[in-house]
Amino acid sequence: MAVERTLSLIKPDATKRNITGAICKMIEDAGFCIIAQKRVKLTYEQASRFYAVHKDKPFYDEVCVIMSSGPIVAMVLEKENAIADYRTLMGATIPSAAENGTIRKQFGESVDKNSVHGSDSAENAEQEIKMFFNELEIIG
Ligand code: ATP
Ligand code: MG
């Protein structure tokens, strides 16, 4: 399996509850290296660009409002098979459907407060990482 990089975001619902350290511990305990990390706050426009893939969905406006409602922690994670493995570690989008041992099972409160984001393909990982980090900020 190839070593991959993926973008992880700790969402505003989680930064508000002061659980960023607990989430990072789960990520590191699962074997991911955090090779870039910053705390940022998106504008509504930046969140809209980030979630543009969902622009025709009924929840688009709501998810953009939520993602720009407070600070987020953006990270680049590196590991073999990082993209799929981080999706597995996050768990299902709806926290009540997430498997035991996943971040969303442990910390997610609802579909719109599900605590974390993870890239869903190699192409999106590359694009999303570029939205948050330049080359100098990624130290593998
Ligand atoms: P993310 O992209 O945040 O990692 P995901 O890939 O599991 O989550 P997506 O289908 O990409 O899920 O949806 C993006 C986000 O939009 C979800 O994380 C969730 O917060 C929100 N969302 C998805 N479906 C709904 C819905 N039916 N109602 C409200 N919000 C939703
Ligand atoms: Mg998604």
Side-chain angles (χ1 to χ4, degrees):
M1 261 181 289
V3 173
E4 295 175 341
R5 292 175 174 184
T6 192
L7 183 83
S8 161
L9 300 178
I10 300 180
K11 297 183 179 182
D13 74 90
T15 58
K16 200 171 168 183
R17 284 180 283 146
N18 223 17
I19 53 174
T20 62
I23 290 174
C24 289
K25 177 162 170 46
M26 285 184 78
I27 289 170
E28 292 187 329
D29 285 350
F32 295 86
C33 288
I34 300 171
I35 60 169
Q37 187 178 53
K38 64 169 80 156
R39 184 176 173 95
V40 291
K41 188 170 182 296
L42 299 180
T43 62
Y44 180 88
E45 287 67 32
Q46 288 167 330
S48 310
R49 238 178 295 141
F50 182 74
Y51 274 127
V53 64
H54 294 305
K55 65 179 184 309
D56 298 324
K57 308 258 176 68
F59 58 84
Y60 181 56
D61 177 62
E62 188 189 347
V63 80
C64 296
V65 168
I66 287 169
M67 282 300 276
S68 55
S69 68
I72 62 176
V73 176
M75 294 178 274
V76 180
L77 309 182
E78 186 174 76
K79 178 183 158 324
E80 275 195 359
N81 204 38
I83 298 163
D85 284 1
Y86 185 58
R87 299 283 302 179
T88 302
L89 179 65
M90 285 199 306
T93 309
I94 302 171
S96 58
E99 302 267 336
N100 284 336
T102 64
I103 296 171
R104 284 169 167 168
K105 180 70 172 187
Q106 176 102 11
F107 295 115
E109 293 187 324
S110 58
V111 69
D112 55 347
K113 290 183 185 151
N114 60 9
S115 301
V116 281
H117 161 84
S119 308
D120 60 10
S121 68
E123 190 189 352
N124 287 342
E126 198 181 332
Q127 277 182 13
E128 291 177 3
I129 288 169
K130 277 192 193 142
M131 280 184 66
F132 285 91
F133 297 97
N134 67 43
E135 263 177 51
L136 291 174
E137 296 171 314
I138 303 172
I139 303 141

